[in-house]
Amino acid sequence: MKRLVEVHYSVKSGCRDEFYRQINEKGIAAAARDENGNEKYDYFFSPTNPDELVLFEVWSSPEAVQSHMETDHYRKLMELKKEFVIETTFSRYDAEQI
């Protein structure tokens, strides 16, 4: 069963672009995309909220998501969130195929 994860980051006013830039400069997104079990890991800018960054992830299984959350680059993301993010909301979905 595949696991889809939708993440909405509410970022401090005016900080969305810098947060996104650092995610990429620190190699966090690239490392996540290279993980076993990752099928999609893409960030999007909200068209209506300049302080929101959205992440869509597709993983081969719930276990792959759990493994992702135990990586060094995930810990780096958690540190960046302390600096830039006000609130994070998650939605998780299971799907047989995508």
Side-chain angles (χ1 to χ4, degrees):
M1 180 82 50
K2 293 185 187 277
R3 172 68 49 97
L4 288 73
V5 181
E6 177 183 353
V7 185
H8 290 255
Y9 297 106
S10 295
V11 179
K12 293 176 185 174
S13 181
C15 293
R16 179 187 66 185
D17 292 351
E18 180 63 17
F19 178 52
Y20 177 68
R21 185 182 68 75
Q22 288 201 30
I23 287 168
N24 287 293
E25 280 187 3
K26 293 180 184 294
I28 294 166
R33 289 183 187 111
D34 286 342
E35 285 182 60
N36 287 333
N38 180 264
E39 298 180 10
K40 188 153 202 67
Y41 190 94
D42 290 320
Y43 287 91
F44 299 90
F45 294 148
S46 168
T48 58
N49 182 348
D51 296 322
E52 181 178 46
L53 185 64
V54 180
L55 169 63
F56 290 108
E57 306 170 63
V58 178
W59 298 88
S60 60
S61 67
E63 293 79 16
V65 176
Q66 185 59 43
S67 292
H68 166 65
M69 293 171 29
E70 297 168 2
T71 62
D72 287 338
H73 52 274
Y74 185 84
R75 285 188 276 285
K76 286 180 188 175
L77 178 61
M78 295 304 102
E79 288 301 312
L80 276 181
K81 284 176 57 177
K82 290 177 186 176
E83 182 177 349
F84 291 102
V85 177
I86 298 167
E87 180 180 19
T88 306
T89 57
F90 294 88
S91 297
R92 293 174 182 87
Y93 310 94
D94 289 331
E96 291 194 24
Q97 55 183 313
I98 296 175

